Amino acid sequence: MPKGPEPKVYINGKLVARVEATVSVYDHGLLYGDGVFEGIRVYGGKVFRLREHVDRLFDSARSIYLDIPLSREEMAEAITSTVKANAKQNGYIRVVVTRGAGSLGLDPRKTTDPQVIIIVDDITLYPPELYENGLEIITAATIRNHPNALSPRIKSLNYLNNIMAKVEGVRAGCLEALMLNHKGEVAECTGDNVFLVKHGVLRTPPLDAGILEGVTRNAVLELARAADIPVEEVALTRHDVYTADECFLTGTAAEVIPVVKCDGRVIGTGKPGPVTRQLRERFHQLARE
Ligand code: PMP
């Protein structure tokens, strides 16, 4: 394969070579996971749902008292121009805003310069055969953060909650793990939202189940409504997962991926179902429009 040009990373208004894109070891993003981020897709040279991602980034920042030193418009412009500078037609964008360098203590008032970083790269998806055959998941013992501890609505740089659940999945031989909330209801997976289909109705946990409001989740809900598929945002339990006709996950990196087994139980027929296939197809069309 021919090697592409050296990627250029945006850092605080400058485009630099990857090796030159560095932050201080005193940055509270590194020291404490104090910061926010976004993962975004580029399809056919166009940034998918840019406005939604920028809005979520700014909402996350607002929620943790972090002032992003750019307006929403400037951030959107920085993202699109970094994509152009990398001549990337299809790829993945990571936007990171850290609290900046400070003293060795938690107090954010001791930090000075929030770092704005935009990386444009490729994304490693699940192996293609899993999109055809479906994924197997387990329920993690680690529950999703209690919303009164750290709201799962914030896409913060502190992902240890999800990483602990991911490790449980990986150790059980699964690439994703289902996370419950503090009430024992289904919340989401470690990096994806979860959907079920039962008797033709598409069901997904509501935002107050303690989940990240996925941009892909919202796109799939819109697609389902447009296709006259009945949709319910309701509290779900593991019983609902085990007895569902179909299950799939959504995420920027994962797109729409079928799940055919959870905790060793076969879901539906054990093969990706018709509603999942239809929504996956419609999502591809939308992304490539
Ligand atoms: N939940 C979590 C915890 C996530 O980190 C993500 C993003 N990877 C999602 C859901 C899916 O969100 P989106 O569709 O916006 O990528």
Side-chain angles (χ1 to χ4, degrees):
M1 276 238 300
K3 251 186 103 207
E6 169 73 13
K8 293 189 192 72
V9 175
Y10 171 105
I11 179 158
N12 305 323
K14 291 203 186 76
L15 282 171
V16 300
R18 194 195 286 211
V19 287
E20 284 160 27
T22 54
V23 293
S24 165
V25 293
Y26 285 88
D27 194 304
H28 282 206
L30 174 70
L31 291 175
Y32 303 116
D34 188 352
V36 294
F37 78 103
E38 275 298 317
I40 316 175
R41 277 292 191 109
V42 189
Y43 294 112
K46 194 167 174 290
V47 181
F48 184 70
R49 304 236 156 164
L50 177 59
R51 185 79 228 177
E52 286 86 337
H53 282 287
V54 169
D55 281 345
R56 188 171 66 185
L57 182 75
F58 276 74
D59 287 351
S60 293
R62 169 73 63 93
S63 189
I64 68 161
Y65 306 92
L66 172 61
D67 285 328
I68 297 179
L70 297 176
S71 67
R72 289 176 196 229
E73 290 68 33
E74 287 166 341
M75 179 62 81
E77 170 55 31
I79 293 168
T80 44
S81 57
T82 308
V83 170
K84 278 207 194 88
N86 282 279
K88 189 61 95 180
Q89 281 297 303
N90 294 293
Y92 181 80
I93 307 161
R94 173 59 55 90
V95 183
V96 180
V97 185
T98 73
R99 185 78 70 180
S103 57
L104 294 179
L106 295 181
D107 193 343
R109 290 173 305 177
K110 303 276 167 58
T111 60
T112 46
D113 48 348
Q115 301 290 294
V116 180
I117 300 160
I118 305 169
I119 304 167
V120 177
D121 211 324
D122 297 313
I123 181 79
T124 320
L125 296 170
Y126 296 116
E129 59 270 20
L130 289 181
Y131 288 88
E132 288 311 312
N133 304 330
L135 194 63
E136 176 174 354
I137 62 173
I138 55 140
T139 307
T142 306
I143 63 161
R144 195 71 176 91
N145 279 332
H146 192 295
N148 292 342
L150 179 67
S151 172
R153 300 286 298 277
I154 302 167
K155 201 162 166 63
S156 88
L157 288 182
N158 196 318
Y159 248 54
L160 268 179
N161 178 218
N162 310 58
I163 292 167
M164 291 303 100
K166 177 89 175 179
V167 169
E168 287 185 54
V170 169
R171 290 176 72 96
C174 294
L175 292 178
E176 251 303 0
L178 184 66
M179 300 183 78
L180 308 178
N181 65 19
H182 61 286
K183 294 186 267 185
E185 299 159 351
V186 170
E188 59 184 333
C189 284
T190 67
D192 298 318
N193 291 112
V194 61
F195 285 82
L196 303 177
V197 180
K198 182 72 172 178
H199 302 320
V201 179
L202 185 66
R203 310 173 81 195
T204 197
L207 298 181
D208 65 12
I211 61 170
L212 185 77
E213 183 177 5
V215 171
T216 322
R217 171 189 186 273
N218 288 349
V220 164
L221 286 173
E222 282 168 30
L223 290 171
R225 291 187 177 111
D228 288 328
I229 298 169
V231 171
E232 279 178 10
E233 292 180 59
V234 283
L236 298 168
T237 64
R238 279 197 292 170
H239 175 80
D240 295 309
V241 179
Y242 301 151
T243 58
D245 299 326
E246 300 180 34
C247 175
F248 64 86
L249 312 181
T250 63
T252 292
E255 299 179 319
V256 176
I257 185 155
V259 173
V260 292
K261 233 182 192 187
C262 181
D263 300 331
R265 291 154 171 93
V266 171
I267 298 175
T269 62
K271 296 211 168 59
V275 177
T276 304
R277 284 182 181 282
Q278 187 194 350
L279 288 170
R280 184 169 157 66
E281 189 52 43
R282 284 176 187 267
F283 181 77
H284 277 166
Q285 275 168 14
L286 177 70
R288 276 149 190 91
E289 245 165 33

